[in-house]
């Protein structure tokens, strides 16, 4: 078993998802009773390989699944596929595949660009805060992506209904009511998760700096961009909760699409700045004799929140 | 195979004949019992819908099943009708044609509205009832179970029954269901009491709609319609208030001018807080001003919009028809080949047994003469004998299988029986 898991590469599950996506795109022309089954088979096979790959990395690397940018994006893709399969199981007729699988492939592609990034600097004391921080940011990001996808589907479906076009063969979208419900839940969940992510990130910094708030890099652009995204999500949440017409129809879809734009902005800022910081960090760091100083070892120029956000968790 | 169908359908018999020959569920039960009593050696399934009355009979022996005339007499007696009133409208199919006909019916290719889904459950119910009353047998089991499989295959591999072609069904299935996820928590407002509206409510009820309000200038007609569907009525003066509360509107009045203009709607809209509103304007002239469709979260459909979708769906079905027919043909051919091959089974079995005995006798004689052979050598000899017999049987069995693709190979079976002295 160990041998098999070691041989699984990103290509295996990425190829599985790609074949499933091609089968989904071909649905209007390829009418066979086996198409949908084969397609789902590829998604499930991809998810199994994806899971084994992550498990293998955790087992052999001795790290948590969210310990690097690379892992973080792969786990986000995994959660999205698992969520897709759950919805597909509940609503087999919905054609969500053509929307979800491209996003999954983009997340995997971004992960492959980040294979050289160093793991997050986490010592034993901050390990659990690091896991909480990464997990909350991950959940928030996936919620924003789900909201984005349901928003796109809402606008397509709404446009089709306005123009009185019957459903396209092989492309059955969910009802507007269902999509609106998912949109609203995505806004609430993403706001809560990202707020918790930011909070746990702050605690993480304090833990690693022995409670010294002056060393936390509050002016870091990554933190600022993430904070702006959180502010937007809070506004969207308030808008959708307290302004009655905003709970209905296309307004909710626009809110989720804008949330995704903020997320992409935040991720982009994160990737850009950590790359630059990474290049400056490549200079030989001065050796710190922590035992002499009587402190826990601390990585040089630590910016925990910023690094996490920049990792792609940078959605907050 | 002695399989036959005698009956009438919408292609050949007028509705006046079909309705007189139709059986309700109790009558179907009674008819099956009577037919079993009258023709004990025959298997019987009776399919009665509003578009067809068909009696399927099957038996191993030709004389055991009712003839065309027997069925006509039975129908006349059962319904107390003169035979002459419907005899010319009765249709008969036998053997392979019966199989093809049943497959076509079950797949909804012979329906008045091709692709309508009800016929499959009607065929299933007819078969189940006959099975419960023990009027089915191996022949009818085989052909009806195959028919249900063929219908499912047609449904899976073509979109012939996915496309609705009537205005109310298109309105609900192709549009309303794409706006709302559930209907049991939606308010349905019916304005007017036209036939089209009534049919639309029926579809909405099937989807789970419970909260139905009927508004009509004539309150008694509104009351009648509301009672029929378990809804309630509201006075005509409450139209605007009801529009505020409604999620689905079905309008079918005979008004000569729109009953809701854009200005009226804009006064109502703020009270709705932009909740989605699905309006089916099935009236001619239209009841809702067409500009209302541009309002936010309003989905307004006129009869022309729906007719266009019906036409597109009908075209789609027509395009799917050749594929569906070829599935039926392919399955009929497969069914018949299997069936004919099964008819050669007893001869093949006797042929095998006929070769088995001499093989065993010769093997025993040889092994008795060579007692010095060890067990391994004895086994080798046994295997050789088996291989020899199989090789000798192979050519006649292949010929039988090939011949059975085109019908029961009576000549070949007779020849084999005589050549190898195969006895019952």
């Amino acid at each position: 078993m160990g041998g098999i898991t070691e041989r699984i590469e990103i290509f295996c599950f990425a190829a599985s998802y790609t074949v499933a996506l091609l089968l989904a795109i071909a649905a209007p022309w390829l009418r066979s009773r086996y198409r949908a089954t084969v397609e789902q088979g590829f998604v499930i096979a991809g998810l199994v390989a994806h899971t084994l790959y992550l498990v293998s990395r955790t087992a052999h690397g001795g790290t948590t699944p969210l310990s690097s940018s690379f892992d973080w994006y792969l786990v986000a893709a995994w959660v999205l596929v698992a969520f897709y399969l759950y919805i597909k199981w509940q609503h087999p007729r919905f054609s969500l595949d053509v929307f979800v699988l491209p996003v999954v492939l983009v997340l995997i592609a971004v992960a492959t660009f980040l294979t050289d990034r160093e793991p997050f600097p986490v010592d034993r004391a901050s390990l659990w805060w690091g896991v909480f921080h990464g997990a909350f940011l991950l959940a928030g990001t996936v919620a924003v992506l789900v909201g984005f996808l349901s928003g796109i589907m809402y606008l397509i479906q709404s446009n089709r209904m306005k123009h009185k076009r019957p459903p396209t063969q092989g492309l059955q979208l969910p009802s507007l009511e269902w999509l609106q419900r998912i949109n609203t839940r995505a806004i609430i969940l993403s706001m809560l998760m990202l707020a918790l992510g930011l909070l746990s990130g702050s605690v993480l910094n304090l833990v690693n700096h022995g409670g010294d708030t002056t060393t936390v890099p509050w002016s870091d652009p990554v933190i600022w961009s993430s904070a702006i995204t959180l502010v937007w999500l809070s506004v969207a949440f308030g808008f959708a909760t307290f302004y009655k017409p905003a709970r209905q129809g296309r307004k909710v879809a626009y809110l989720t699409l804008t949330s995704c734009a903020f997320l992409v902005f935040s991720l982009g800022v994160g990737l850009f700045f950590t790359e630059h910081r990474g290049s400056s960090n490549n200079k030989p760091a001065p050796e710190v004799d922590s035992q002499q100083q009587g402190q826990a070892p601390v990585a040089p120029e630590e910016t925990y929140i910023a690094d996490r956000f920049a990792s792609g968790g940078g959605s907050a | 195979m002695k399989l036959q169908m005698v009956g009438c359908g919408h292609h050949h018999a007028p509705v006046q004949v079909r309705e007189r020959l139709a059986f309700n569920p109790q009558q179907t039960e009674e008819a099956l019992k009577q037919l079993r009593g009258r023709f004990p050696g025959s298997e019987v399934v009776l399919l009665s819908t509003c578009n067809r009355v068909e009696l399927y009979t099957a038996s191993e022996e030709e004389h055991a099943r009712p003839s065309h005339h027997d069925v006509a007499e039975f129908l006349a007696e059962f319904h107390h009708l003169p035979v002459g009133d419907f005899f010319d409208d009765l249709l008969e199919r036998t053997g392979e044609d019966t199989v093809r006909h049943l497959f076509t019916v079950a797949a909804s290719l012979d329906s008045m509205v091709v692709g309508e889904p009800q016929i499959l459950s009607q065929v299933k119910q007819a078969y189940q009832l006959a099975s419960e009353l023990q009027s089915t047998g191996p022949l009818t089991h085989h052909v009806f179970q195959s028919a249900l499989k063929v219908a499912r295959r047609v449904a899976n591999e073509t979109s012939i029954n996915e496309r609705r072609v009537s205005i109310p069904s298109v309105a609900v299935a192709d549009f309303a269901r794409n706006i709302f996820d559930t209907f049991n928590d939606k308010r349905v407002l019916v304005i007017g009491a036209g036939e089209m509206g009534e049919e639309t409510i029926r579809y909405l009820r099937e989807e789970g709609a419970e909260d139905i309000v009927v508004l009509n200038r004539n309150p008694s007609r509104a009351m009648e319609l509301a009672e029929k569907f378990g809804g309630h009525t509201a006075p005509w003066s409450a139209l605007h208030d009801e529009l505020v509360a409604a999620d689905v509107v079905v309008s079918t009045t005979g008004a000569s001018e729109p009953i809701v203009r854009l200005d009226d709607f804009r006064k109502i809209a703020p009270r709705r807080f932009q909740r989605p509103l699905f309006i089916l304007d099935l009236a001619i002239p239209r009841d809702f001003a067409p500009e209302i469709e541009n309002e936010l979260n309003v989905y307004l459909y006129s009869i022309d919009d729906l007719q266009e979708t019906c036409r597109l769906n009908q075209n789609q079905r027509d395009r799917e028809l050749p594929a569906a027919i070829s599935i039926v043909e392919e399955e009929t051919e497969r069914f018949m080949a299997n069936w004919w091959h099964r008819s050669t089974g007893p001869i093949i079995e006797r042929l095998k047994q006929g070769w088995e005995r001499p093989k065993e006798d010769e093997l025993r004689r040889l092994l008795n003469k060579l007692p010095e052979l060890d067990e391994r050598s004895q086994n080798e000899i046994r295997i050789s004998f088996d291989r020899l017999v199989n090789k000798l049987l192979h050519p006649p069995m292949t010929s039988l299988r090939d011949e059975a693709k085109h019908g029961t190979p009576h000549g070949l079976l007779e020849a084999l029986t005589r050549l190898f002295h195969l006895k019952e």
Side-chain angles (χ1 to χ4, degrees), chain A residues 98-117:
Chain A
V98 285
F99 297 93
V100 177
L101 292 176
V103 175
V104 169
L105 290 172
V106 166
L107 289 172
I108 293 172
V110 174
T112 58
F113 283 114
L114 301 173
T115 44
D116 299 335
R117 292 283 173 95

Side-chain angles (χ1 to χ4, degrees), chain B residues 204-403:
Chain B
L204 286 166
R205 286 282 294 173
E206 281 174 16
E207 291 294 332
E210 292 166 358
D211 188 3
I212 296 167
V213 183
V214 184
L215 246 81
N216 195 33
R217 289 188 203 275
N218 177 351
S220 64
R221 178 73 186 111
M223 184 67 81
E224 196 183 313
L225 191 62
E227 276 176 4
K228 198 169 180 179
F229 293 100
H232 61 277
T233 60
W236 188 259
S237 57
L239 174 63
H240 288 187
D241 290 336
E242 289 298 336
L243 279 171
V244 170
D247 298 294
V248 178
V249 177
V250 182
S251 195
T252 60
T253 75
S256 55
E257 289 192 347
I259 56 170
V260 182
R261 295 176 187 281
L262 182 60
D263 290 347
D264 300 328
F265 191 81
R266 285 196 169 152
K267 283 177 201 153
I268 298 162
R271 290 165 65 198
R272 292 187 51 81
F273 296 106
Q274 296 175 14
R275 242 172 49 249
L277 179 63
F278 178 58
I279 305 172
L280 275 177
D281 189 349
L282 305 178
I284 295 177
R286 285 181 280 185
D287 284 338
F288 284 73
E291 305 81 49
I292 292 173
E293 74 178 7
N294 299 322
E295 295 298 293
L296 206 59
N297 291 331
V298 174
Y299 301 92
L300 172 61
Y301 290 78
S302 72
I303 207 156
D304 281 357
D305 301 325
L306 297 168
Q307 251 163 0
E308 177 59 14
T309 305
C310 290
R311 192 187 59 76
L312 289 172
N313 287 356
Q314 187 60 58
N315 290 347
Q316 187 72 31
R317 278 190 178 187
D318 292 345
R319 277 201 293 274
E320 294 284 314
L321 201 55
I325 289 170
S326 82
I327 290 172
V328 167
E329 281 303 321
E330 185 192 315
E331 291 289 342
T332 304
E333 203 174 298
R334 185 180 296 166
F335 178 91
M336 295 311 297
N338 280 342
W339 187 258
W340 288 321
H341 186 62
R342 278 168 69 164
S343 70
T344 64
I347 292 290
I348 290 171
E349 196 53 38
R350 273 182 268 155
L351 199 57
K352 280 182 179 170
Q353 284 169 358
W355 284 79
E356 196 65 22
R357 197 172 302 130
K359 183 199 84 178
E360 287 296 329
D361 291 346
E362 285 304 310
L363 196 58
R364 201 177 306 116
R365 194 187 66 80
L366 182 66
L367 295 178
N368 284 341
K369 282 197 167 185
L370 302 168
E372 69 278 10
L373 289 178
D374 59 12
E375 194 161 334
R376 187 170 168 274
S377 305
Q378 287 185 9
N379 274 342
E380 280 302 320
I381 290 172
R382 277 198 190 92
I383 290 168
S384 289
F385 268 63
D386 285 340
R387 286 168 63 87
L388 180 67
V389 168
N390 285 340
K391 282 184 176 173
L392 288 169
L393 277 170
H394 184 68
M397 282 168 70
T398 307
S399 301
L400 265 177
R401 194 171 54 239
D402 291 345
E403 283 293 303

Side-chain angles (χ1 to χ4, degrees), chain B residues 150-260:
Chain B
V150 172
R152 279 194 287 270
R153 198 185 146 198
V154 169
N156 285 339
E157 292 181 30
T158 70
S159 58
I160 204 146
N161 58 0
E162 282 173 18
R163 305 283 173 169
R164 275 81 179 173
V165 290
S166 76
I167 284 176
S169 64
V170 162
V172 175
D174 284 356
F175 295 107
R177 272 175 57 185
N178 283 316
I179 294 174
F180 300 113
D181 199 29
T182 53
F183 286 86
N184 55 358
D185 55 347
K186 302 294 178 303
R187 167 72 69 94
V188 177
L189 174 62
V190 183
I191 309 171
E195 265 179 40
M196 192 92 84
E198 191 174 328
E199 208 183 329
T200 310
I201 303 172
R202 195 168 289 121
Y203 279 102
L204 286 166
R205 286 282 294 173
E206 281 174 16
E207 291 294 332
E210 292 166 358
D211 188 3
I212 296 167
V213 183
V214 184
L215 246 81
N216 195 33
R217 289 188 203 275
N218 177 351
S220 64
R221 178 73 186 111
M223 184 67 81
E224 196 183 313
L225 191 62
E227 276 176 4
K228 198 169 180 179
F229 293 100
H232 61 277
T233 60
W236 188 259
S237 57
L239 174 63
H240 288 187
D241 290 336
E242 289 298 336
L243 279 171
V244 170
D247 298 294
V248 178
V249 177
V250 182
S251 195
T252 60
T253 75
S256 55
E257 289 192 347
I259 56 170
V260 182

Side-chain angles (χ1 to χ4, degrees), chain A residues 189-270:
Chain A
L189 190 68
S190 56
M191 197 276 292
L192 288 175
M193 290 295 110
L194 294 181
L196 286 170
L198 192 65
L199 191 67
S200 53
S202 306
V203 174
L204 180 66
N205 269 283
L206 290 173
V207 167
N208 283 301
H209 290 93
D212 181 5
T213 53
T214 56
T215 57
V216 179
W218 296 114
S219 57
D220 191 297
V222 176
I223 296 181
W224 274 108
S225 64
S226 307
I228 289 170
T229 306
L230 180 63
V231 169
W232 160 255
L233 283 168
S234 307
V235 170
F237 171 74
F239 200 52
T241 308
F242 301 111
Y243 179 53
K244 222 173 168 184
R247 288 181 221 160
Q248 311 290 341
R250 281 187 274 186
K251 284 199 179 74
V252 189
Y254 290 137
L255 288 178
T256 51
L257 294 189
T258 315
S259 301
C260 190
F262 273 97
L263 172 73
V264 171
F265 161 72
S266 182
L267 290 175
V269 168

Side-chain angles (χ1 to χ4, degrees), chain A residues 2 41-42 57 68 102 107 125-126 135 144 152-153 165 167 186 190 202 217 222 245 254 263 288 291-292:
Chain A
F42 271 102
R57 264 186 71 79
S68 69
L107 289 172
S126 60
V144 172
I152 292 276
M153 282 188 265
R165 286 197 295 268
S190 56
S202 306
V222 176
Y254 290 137
L263 172 73
V288 179
Q291 281 184 337
Q292 274 186 346

Side-chain angles (χ1 to χ4, degrees), chain B residues 88-133:
Chain B
D88 291 342
D89 295 310
L90 286 185
L91 191 72
E92 183 183 347
R93 296 270 183 268
T94 54
E96 185 177 345
D97 287 343
T98 310
V99 175
R100 185 177 292 105
H101 177 77
L102 179 60
F103 287 3
T104 309
V105 169
S108 190
L109 307 182
D110 193 55
S111 299
M112 195 175 270
V113 178
V114 173
E116 55 92 6
Q118 288 89 348
I119 187 67
L120 179 59
S121 57
Q122 287 164 335
V123 170
K124 203 184 287 178
Q125 280 164 9
Y127 168 55
Q128 277 171 348
L129 181 64
S131 298
E132 281 164 22
L133 296 173

